[in-house]
Amino acid sequence: MSIVITGATGHLGRHVIEGLLEKVPADLITAVVRNEDKAADFAARGVRIAVADYNTPETFDGLFKAGDKVLLISGNEFHKGRVGQHRVVLDAAKAADVALFAYTSAPGSLTAALADDHRNTEAAILESGVTYALLRNGWYNENYTEQLAPVLQSNSVTQAAGEGRVASAARADYAAAAVAVLTGEGHENATYELSGDTAWSFAEYAAELGRQSGKEIAYNAVSVEAYTGILTGHAGLPAPLAAILGEVDRSIEKGELAATGGDLSRLTGRPTTPIADSIAAALNR
Ligand code: NAP
């Protein structure tokens, strides 16, 4: 039996591998990676490395064994058809008769188009008949705290979310929940709505950032159209990505990412990381 993590060299995947290393022997962990060099540190610690790509089904041939527990970390290649990519991993896991197939999904309340891939992947998982665990991850604190340079330069947090609130948590919290599911009992065919314990507004976020940085930082609430214009213009983002981010803000304004149901802290056995802590970590980096 192995605990197999795809996307292991991504931000979330690295946290999951670190969390697993604290709980199980390294040779029980398999990191699935595209680039073996990026996983050299894991290999040096005894983690098994498998090289595979969601775009190349044959790279998953024979990768999983009966009884494995698998975590499929959703891909980030929006333009390549993520549902088809995820099906490649699912089909291989189903063929191998794995014991558990966990998937990092999106909140059930999210209507932004970004959620469609997750909804369709969940449907494929249910249809396949594998024993599953759906980890519907809410928003990462780091979605905001990793973008501080332009905010600190302009002294403004520009978003199109109005007074909407975000119940975000740190990536490390979501990773700890995945580790709990992969190493614990009783998660078969469970669906978890994972989110932070506290929801915050962008006005509160700007105020906290101002307090910690010693600057006057305002929340500049703009329309979705103005926001996508700023992202494609000044920030240089591709139009499809800007449209996705604009839609997410519209969802935030509607309260779709504000639920604080407590599944995440219940799974990890500790409170989630407040946004203020992630701001502090980013400012001190
Ligand atoms: P990330 O750092 O971008 O990691 C994505 C991982 O997917 C990387 O390890 C990448 O491999 C792997 N991957 C991408 N395409 C692949 C392919 N064709 N074959 C095999 N592996 C592939 O993202 P993250 O922060 O860890 O988040 C994990 C996932 O959550 C993201 O991919 C995205 O679906 C979703 N997400 C959620 C939020 C949220 O707030 N909840 C925010 C952003 C993204 P390499 O290491 O080789 O690049």
Side-chain angles (χ1 to χ4, degrees):
M1 197 281 280
S2 192
I3 299 177
V4 188
I5 311 301
T6 74
T9 45
H11 291 94
L12 183 67
R14 283 197 161 274
H15 283 296
V16 174
I17 299 282
E18 291 298 340
L20 287 172
L21 281 167
E22 287 174 15
K23 289 205 169 182
V24 299
D27 63 359
L28 282 189
I29 306 167
T30 301
V32 181
V33 304
R34 288 190 288 193
N35 177 346
E36 209 166 355
D37 294 345
K38 276 177 79 176
D41 55 331
F42 292 150
R45 292 158 77 188
V47 172
R48 290 153 65 177
I49 308 297
V51 178
D53 190 314
Y54 303 157
N55 298 309
T56 316
E58 55 273 24
T59 59
F60 282 90
D61 287 349
L63 196 155
F64 304 119
K65 301 280 181 283
D68 282 355
K69 291 183 175 180
V70 177
L71 174 66
L72 167 57
I73 292 187
S74 50
N76 56 7
E77 297 174 318
F78 297 96
H79 57 291
K80 288 196 179 164
R82 290 191 298 170
V83 182
Q85 292 183 330
H86 297 161
R87 270 183 189 279
V88 164
V89 185
L90 174 64
D91 290 350
K94 169 82 181 158
D97 196 20
V98 302
L100 185 73
F101 188 84
Y103 171 67
T104 62
S105 192
S109 50
L110 185 64
T111 62
L114 174 69
D116 292 350
D117 286 349
H118 293 294
R119 222 56 71 222
N120 291 328
T121 300
E122 287 191 4
I125 291 170
L126 264 59
E127 196 186 319
S128 75
V130 291
T131 300
Y132 63 85
L134 300 180
L135 307 176
R136 290 182 171 168
N137 287 350
W139 251 220
Y140 302 155
N141 288 347
E142 291 88 347
N143 291 343
Y144 304 101
T145 58
E146 281 174 354
Q147 322 287 335
L148 289 185
V151 174
L152 294 173
Q153 218 169 8
S154 64
N155 291 333
S156 76
V157 171
T158 299
Q159 298 283 159
E163 301 302 310
R165 303 181 82 78
V166 186
S168 65
R171 278 197 193 94
D173 299 326
Y174 295 105
V179 170
V181 165
L182 293 164
T183 59
E185 302 290 326
H187 303 293
E188 292 80 10
N189 300 331
T191 298
Y192 296 105
E193 294 286 347
L194 303 174
S195 61
D197 296 335
T198 310
W200 47 267
S201 70
F202 283 101
E204 291 165 0
Y205 171 72
E208 179 62 23
L209 189 53
R211 195 184 64 74
Q212 290 196 32
S213 63
K215 295 174 136 225
E216 281 278 316
I217 298 187
Y219 172 35
N220 177 30
V222 297
S223 68
V224 169
E225 293 68 29
Y227 182 52
T228 53
I230 291 165
L231 293 177
T232 50
H234 197 58
L237 261 58
L241 181 56
I244 287 172
L245 296 177
E247 269 203 47
V248 166
D249 270 22
R250 189 173 273 135
S251 285
I252 291 173
E253 181 161 29
K254 288 193 273 184
E256 294 175 10
L257 292 179
T260 53
D263 276 1
L264 180 47
S265 48
R266 271 192 295 278
L267 272 178
T268 61
R270 57 171 162 83
T272 61
T273 308
I275 187 74
D277 289 14
S278 294
I279 290 173
L283 288 175
N284 294 328
R285 200 176 293 137

